[in-house]
Amino acid sequence: MLSGYDTGGYWCELQGHSHHALPACIELERRLDGFSIAELKKRSNAATREFMTLGVTFTVYSNRDQIDRILPFDVIPRVIPGVEWERLEAGVIQRVAAMNAFLGDIYGKQRALKDGIIPAELVLGNANYRKEMQDLPVPHGTYIHVCGTDIVRGKDGKFRVLEDNGRTPSGVSYVVENRHLMQRAFPDLVHDLPIRPVSNYGQKLAEALSQIAPAGVDDPQIVLLSPGAYNSAYFEHIFLAREMGVPLVEGRDLTVEKDRVFMKTVGGLAPVHVIYRRLNDDFLDPEVFRPDSMLGVAGLMRAYRKGNVALANAVGTGVADDKAVYAYIPRLIRYYLSEEPIIDNVETHICREPEGLKFTLDRMESLVVKPVGESGGYGVVIGPRVSKRELAEARELLTANPANYISQPMIELSVSPTLCGRAIEPRHVDLRPFTVTGKSSWVLPGGLTRVALRKGSLIVNSSQGGGSKDTWILG
Amino acid sequence: MAKLLARFADCVFWMARYTERANSLARVLDVNQAYSQDAHGVRNWQSILTFYADEAAFAELYKQVSAEAVIAFYATDPRNPSSIRSCLRQARENARTIRPLISTEMWSQLNALHRKIKPLKTSSVTSKNLSSFATTIKEGCETHVGITLETFYRDEAWHFYLLGQQLERADQTTRLLDVKFAQLQAGAAEMGSATDVSQWNALLRAAAGFQAYRRRHPVTAMSPQSVAHFLLLNPLFPRSLLSSVNQASEALNALRRDSGLGTGLRAQKHLRAFQSALLDLDIDEVLARGMGETMDWIQRELNRTSDLVAQEFFGRA
């Protein structure tokens, strides 16, 4: 089945740099050999149909017409051996711990700023820094309750962190739905393998959320706050509310009275104690943030500051997952935890600093330049892949506003065998494990493997035509 | 205490109403098709527009009342918010909002049904294939009801589902009967003729009540009195007005009982009064006076109940 498969010199998740399956993948490869391309294609089509029927979709808009698309699903799983995973797991937990310590510090005594570990203006001048959080303790010192860490593997086979998502990371629903779909569509591929399960995510999340309930509340009412059906991640909001068995509310369903939050039920107002919000800080409370927000709840921050309601993630976490602050995370790990980072960063140059800017401008044609305030892969310029004209345009933008950019060497992302048309071809992948933190941290085994479906493309974002794969932690 | 979000209760209620409405609309179109094959063509299709009070909306979109135009208007036209296609779209949108509440099976089936109807062009359904289209809709909606019955958790949301379904059904059964009685008034000379009997037949079949009627009235000829009585007041036939009102009332009682709060009292009282007024209804008198007046009264009572439910439970003005 994989005869003729050529990794093109990249690290292959199935074969590494060899031309045969890595030990952990031997059994998967053997089983895959039993399938013809036609059979794979047939099952893949059935899976797509099932996703449409189930409405496992994300929503894209054009001309105000609603379009539900499914995240394209590739049927060949990506395998990570158990031992390798355990290192990754420890690495992302360590990172989340450092980010939480950092947030506790900058919203508290600001030691790291005084000690010169990170420039104060980078933190206090950051658009995501929320002064409202200053000196406000949060339960267990946890600010980032759900974190999605974007991890890539380069040509050398080493994992590196590319980005932290500590606000409202998306994608975990696909991890679970992909697995369920694999189990239904490929029972013959899945059976009897020691794949670590993922279906308890909702339960783990609900447990963590219960742990941050206000003091004295034994049986907290948790709700999931969504911007509503027009949000691109609405399916995920539905999924999580369903998995946890909690109400999926919108701002209009909530109200604040006497600094307490209530939801409007058929029987009148019912108290709410914990809000898993999938709404950005800006929109949370029109009294405090954007006054034009129709999605938030007036008075929510008053209730939050009084400790009558818990928010996950906490307000103001954006300052820790900022692409500029990202560069300092290894130093923050050493500073707060007195540990060496278990997973390295991708080498990063900060254009707000003269040497970073010079380095970047001198080598733009070989670097990836990223705006720090964007997400979803927008505005990213891949030096080696763009035309001279595009490069010149990017150079202008960068020179005009250097503080808005970082640059990184182009990571030659690892590839994974992927069903493309009538052949199995290598396609670039990344990995987003999800860490859930209440009193302590737990990582969903595996995470979202995103795959760039266009040949040669390095951009895996769903909004840019990426797809996903089931991710198996084996053994 | 009830933890059901008011907005979700609203959505459950309307999901049930819209699927029930799509189902009934398919029945009305189907049965009307059966009438118009017998005689007056155009006039028959006009009567549907009259009962749904859609003449103005129809006139904005179509030049002439014809079988094809009325079928298109009610079956597939996305511009008509009450077409079968629009009803299923709205049922599916409501279901989408309450996906954490309903079973996966309920959602998938409704989503699939919507996906099946959505690509149809306005001209896709004509008098030639109306019957098979109606069958698809009826089967789809009945499947929805069956899946709901088997999988929906029986908390407050279930009672709001029943409430929506039964209020809509009461309304629709009344309209179905109304279509036929207008025919009667228009062509009284045909009463008792072979054509007329076949029309009563068709009417009962449209309400899925032919077998049930025959069990209740094994040998008698079909009279307007007996059919009207059956569809309005037989408490044992699940699509009769009385049966629907009884079930809606029971759902309201359960809600009041289970939520343990003061909400819904006005809706409950109102529906109870309507329920006992129905029991006092004398079919002969109704027929002597003409159905129109009674139908108007029924519609008013049902609308009022619906408004009270929206005010008291959903927080609508």
Side-chain angles (χ1 to χ4, degrees):
Chain A
M1 152 136 249
L2 283 167
S3 61
Y5 175 78
D6 179 2
T7 64
Y10 298 102
W11 178 271
C12 173
E13 295 295 333
L14 188 89
Q15 302 185 334
H17 281 310
S18 71
H19 290 288
H20 44 82
L22 295 166
C25 304
I26 290 173
E27 181 55 20
L28 172 64
E29 196 187 58
R30 197 188 64 75
R31 292 184 186 194
L32 279 172
D33 269 337
F35 289 92
S36 65
I37 295 276
E39 177 66 17
L40 277 185
K41 192 85 204 158
K42 201 175 101 195
R43 298 220 203 165
S44 167
N45 291 341
T48 301
R49 272 198 305 278
E50 193 174 336
F51 267 8
M52 285 311 296
T53 302
L54 283 171
V56 179
T57 54
F58 67 99
T59 307
V60 184
Y61 288 88
S62 54
N63 302 328
R64 299 173 67 203
D65 277 337
Q66 178 185 322
I67 306 166
D68 283 336
R69 283 197 210 154
I70 66 163
L71 185 62
F73 173 71
D74 180 65
V75 295
I76 304 178
R78 181 250 191 103
V79 173
I80 300 172
V83 232
E84 217 171 344
W85 168 252
E86 274 144 31
R87 223 186 119 256
L88 272 180
E89 192 180 25
V92 294
I93 289 178
Q94 179 191 50
R95 212 167 162 97
V96 171
M99 287 166 75
N100 277 323
F102 170 65
L103 288 162
D105 184 24
I106 62 164
Y107 291 125
K109 293 184 176 143
Q110 304 187 336
R111 283 196 303 129
L113 309 187
K114 288 168 192 148
D115 290 348
I117 307 299
I118 184 167
E121 83 268 15
L122 199 62
V123 174
L124 304 178
N126 194 298
N128 296 305
Y129 171 81
R130 304 280 174 221
K131 60 181 190 314
E132 295 79 9
M133 291 301 291
Q134 196 62 49
D135 299 319
L136 180 69
V138 295
H140 315 299
T142 299
Y143 289 81
I144 301 179
H145 306 88
V146 179
C147 190
T149 313
D150 287 349
I151 293 177
V152 297
R153 183 145 44 184
K155 230 170 184 169
D156 56 2
K158 266 187 73 176
F159 282 114
R160 287 186 181 81
V161 175
L162 185 65
E163 192 174 313
D164 302 285
N165 298 279
R167 280 171 261 190
T168 54
S170 286
V172 74
S173 53
Y174 298 115
V175 177
V176 180
E177 292 288 357
N178 284 353
R179 176 65 52 78
H180 291 167
L181 188 62
M182 276 309 276
Q183 284 166 334
R184 287 193 298 269
F186 289 91
D188 33 2
L189 207 57
V190 176
H191 81 93
D192 285 350
L193 287 179
I195 307 170
R196 298 198 193 174
V198 293
S199 24
N200 59 341
Y201 182 84
Q203 190 198 323
K204 289 288 190 181
L205 179 60
E207 278 169 25
L209 293 173
S210 298
Q211 289 169 1
I212 61 166
V217 179
D218 292 333
D219 185 15
Q221 175 68 56
I222 301 169
V223 300
L224 193 151
L225 175 60
S226 166
Y230 301 107
N231 188 269
S232 63
Y234 187 60
F235 165 73
E236 178 148 306
H237 307 161
I238 292 166
F239 171 88
L240 291 170
R242 195 181 68 202
E243 292 294 305
M244 292 193 285
V246 307
L248 174 58
V249 304
E250 295 176 20
R252 55 188 159 141
D253 298 317
L254 299 181
T255 182
V256 175
E257 286 186 8
K258 293 185 181 148
D259 298 338
R260 288 178 189 278
V261 181
F262 297 90
M263 58 179 175
K264 300 169 189 166
T265 76
V266 291
L269 296 184
V272 169
H273 307 106
V274 181
I275 301 176
Y276 178 38
R277 49 91 172 218
R278 296 292 298 255
L279 192 60
N280 292 337
D281 288 354
D282 276 353
F283 293 97
L284 269 185
D285 181 351
E287 279 184 9
V288 178
F289 305 117
R290 285 176 60 152
D292 61 335
S293 171
M294 306 285 283
L295 304 171
V297 189
L300 184 57
M301 284 302 287
R302 277 188 277 122
Y304 185 48
R305 288 197 60 94
K306 284 260 167 81
N308 290 333
V309 71
L311 292 177
N313 289 350
V315 173
T317 56
V319 66
D321 79 355
D322 185 287
K323 286 191 180 72
V325 171
Y326 154 90
Y328 295 87
I329 300 271
R331 288 158 68 183
L332 296 175
I333 292 174
R334 292 186 194 101
Y335 180 71
Y336 291 112
L337 309 178
S338 308
E339 292 171 11
E340 277 304 305
I342 299 171
I343 320 171
D344 286 335
N345 267 11
V346 170
E347 172 194 331
T348 304
H349 310 279
I350 302 165
C351 300
R352 66 157 56 227
E353 293 173 353
E355 58 273 36
L357 179 62
K358 183 172 184 310
F359 185 94
T360 306
L361 288 172
D362 287 352
R363 296 172 185 76
M364 262 188 85
E365 65 289 343
S366 65
L367 293 172
V368 179
V369 178
K370 296 177 172 179
V372 292
E374 301 279 345
S375 63
Y378 290 104
V380 173
V381 177
I382 300 174
R385 297 281 173 94
V386 298
S387 69
K388 279 215 168 96
R389 200 169 59 86
E390 285 168 296
L391 204 59
E393 281 168 12
R395 187 180 293 273
E396 249 173 67
L397 285 172
L398 175 60
T399 321
N401 186 12
N404 191 38
Y405 293 91
I406 57 165
S407 72
Q408 294 168 332
M410 192 165 110
I411 309 284
E412 297 182 289
L413 299 186
S414 61
V415 293
S416 187
T418 302
L419 178 63
C420 302
R422 300 240 146 247
I424 307 280
E425 292 179 11
R427 288 291 183 271
H428 294 293
V429 293
D430 76 348
L431 178 69
R432 177 180 289 183
F434 292 88
T435 309
V436 176
T437 308
K439 275 184 191 163
S440 59
S441 284
W442 170 83
V443 189
L444 179 71
L448 181 66
T449 289
R450 295 184 297 178
V451 49
L453 291 173
R454 258 180 306 131
K455 192 168 191 161
S457 171
L458 290 166
I459 298 193
V460 295
N461 301 72
S462 54
S463 48
Q464 311 258 326
S468 75
K469 280 171 172 286
D470 191 14
T471 309
W472 294 0
I473 307 303
L474 272 184
Chain B
M1 166 182 167
K3 293 281 182 64
L4 178 65
L5 278 188
R7 183 167 56 84
F8 280 9
D10 200 349
C11 286
V12 175
F13 181 86
W14 281 100
M15 176 185 72
R17 281 203 86 143
Y18 281 123
T19 32
E20 185 65 28
R21 189 175 293 177
N23 188 349
S24 295
L25 205 45
R27 291 175 186 285
V28 169
L29 291 180
D30 209 17
V31 72
N32 199 70
Q33 167 107 323
Y35 290 159
S36 61
Q37 279 171 355
D38 288 329
H40 309 289
V42 171
R43 197 191 64 208
N44 286 345
W45 289 104
Q46 171 72 49
S47 65
I48 293 186
L49 294 171
T50 312
F51 299 123
Y52 286 110
D54 276 335
E55 287 122 319
F58 179 86
E60 270 182 34
L61 300 174
Y62 295 87
K63 287 198 191 84
Q64 261 189 337
V65 178
S66 67
E68 300 312 329
V70 175
I71 289 170
F73 179 73
Y74 281 114
T76 48
D77 197 330
R79 299 169 301 175
N80 174 12
S82 309
S83 67
I84 288 174
R85 181 217 199 96
S86 299
C87 284
L88 289 177
R89 182 180 57 74
Q90 291 170 93
R92 188 258 189 189
E93 275 309 299
N94 279 296
R96 181 167 129 99
T97 303
I98 51 172
R99 266 175 75 182
L101 217 60
I102 61 179
S103 65
T104 310
E105 288 77 2
M106 285 169 71
W107 159 254
S108 305
Q109 190 265 343
L110 212 47
N111 190 37
L113 182 61
H114 168 252
R115 287 173 52 76
K116 196 174 189 176
I117 305 306
K118 196 181 159 199
L120 292 182
K121 293 194 190 72
T122 307
S123 58
S124 296
V125 180
T126 63
S127 49
K128 282 199 188 74
N129 61 3
L130 173 62
S131 183
S132 79
F133 172 77
T135 303
T136 303
I137 300 300
K138 283 187 284 187
E139 282 178 3
C141 294
E142 301 292 1
T143 305
H144 160 78
V145 173
I147 289 174
T148 303
L149 199 61
E150 292 298 307
T151 61
F152 199 23
Y153 187 61
R154 298 293 197 267
D155 64 359
E156 291 92 356
W158 163 252
H159 298 304
F160 280 108
Y161 180 89
L162 280 184
L163 196 54
Q165 179 191 51
Q166 296 300 327
L167 287 178
E168 184 67 29
R169 185 176 292 176
D171 181 276
Q172 294 291 338
T173 296
T174 317
R175 287 179 199 274
L176 200 60
L177 201 56
D178 221 0
V179 175
K180 175 57 193 157
F181 275 90
Q183 307 292 326
L184 263 186
Q185 277 161 355
E190 288 171 13
M191 262 181 76
S193 68
T195 309
D196 189 54
V197 170
S198 81
Q199 289 183 5
W200 288 113
N201 232 300
L203 174 68
L204 283 166
R205 288 181 198 278
F210 181 74
Q211 306 299 338
Y213 177 88
R214 271 293 168 235
R215 286 179 61 187
R216 170 69 187 81
H217 302 281
V219 285
T220 51
M222 283 175 191
S223 68
Q225 283 83 354
S226 67
V227 176
H229 188 274
F230 183 80
L231 287 181
L232 288 179
L233 298 175
N234 187 309
L236 304 182
F237 174 57
R239 303 195 85 85
S240 78
L241 173 68
L242 182 62
S243 164
S244 301
V245 169
N246 287 346
Q247 288 190 65
S249 179
E250 192 39 55
L252 262 178
N253 294 345
L255 277 171
R256 296 256 308 139
R257 199 173 56 229
D258 297 350
S259 73
L261 287 171
T263 40
L265 183 61
R266 284 158 67 214
Q268 190 186 30
K269 277 189 170 166
H270 181 82
L271 197 58
R272 274 189 190 157
F274 178 48
Q275 214 176 349
S276 36
L278 278 182
L279 291 173
D280 291 339
L281 209 61
D282 182 322
I283 284 294
D284 291 326
E285 276 178 32
V286 170
L287 289 178
R289 274 203 312 269
M291 282 296 272
E293 193 186 315
T294 306
M295 290 301 169
D296 286 348
W297 168 67
I298 294 172
Q299 297 288 334
R300 271 200 313 276
E301 296 299 299
L302 292 173
N303 287 341
R304 178 74 186 139
T305 310
S306 206
D307 289 346
L308 287 171
V309 166
Q311 283 170 27
E312 292 187 283
F313 290 109
F314 309 154
R316 286 203 191 169

